[in-house]
Amino acid sequence: MSDQRIEGAFDQVEGKVKKGLGELTGDTKLKVEGVAKEAGGRAKAAYGRVIDGLDGIADKAHPDIREPAKKGLDFARNKPLLTTGILAGAAILLGALGRKR
């Protein structure tokens, strides 16, 4: 289980607690912070599930590409925001290339 999944679970719980306290006390700011923290936790946990799934695929890969795949996954674990940005940029470029003019 990746660190992102664990951190995501903690963030979700923290968000739920803040949201509940905000609702209980009528503190809108606290409630909004809780909702945001919970959503961030869900996103972080989802990212961790993807990394864990890719790790399983890398374990089954051909020996020639197994080590580079593991290095790429280590990079993705250590720099999740940068990895997400790189993938989003690549998706935008590929989408633009696929459009008919």
Side-chain angles (χ1 to χ4, degrees):
M1 180 180 279
S2 68
D3 291 343
Q4 287 84 12
R5 288 177 73 177
I6 296 166
E7 290 173 16
F10 279 116
D11 288 350
Q12 284 180 21
V13 170
E14 182 182 348
K16 286 181 184 183
V17 169
K18 279 186 173 183
K19 179 182 160 190
L21 285 173
E23 288 175 352
L24 213 81
T25 61
D27 187 346
T28 306
K29 182 181 175 192
L30 188 62
K31 182 179 174 183
V32 170
E33 286 176 6
V35 169
K37 187 78 167 179
E38 188 177 356
R42 279 195 306 271
K44 201 180 284 187
Y47 184 80
R49 283 192 302 275
V50 169
I51 294 296
D52 286 347
L54 291 174
D55 202 26
I57 292 170
D59 287 338
K60 297 175 187 173
H62 190 275
D64 292 343
I65 61 170
R66 190 174 300 143
E67 189 60 33
K70 291 285 189 177
K71 285 182 182 177
L73 287 171
D74 286 341
F75 176 84
R77 273 191 193 90
N78 294 327
K79 305 208 182 287
L81 290 177
L82 182 58
T83 302
T84 303
I86 291 168
L87 292 175
I92 290 169
L93 288 175
L94 290 173
L97 290 174
R99 265 189 280 165
K100 292 183 181 180
R101 295 189 186 252

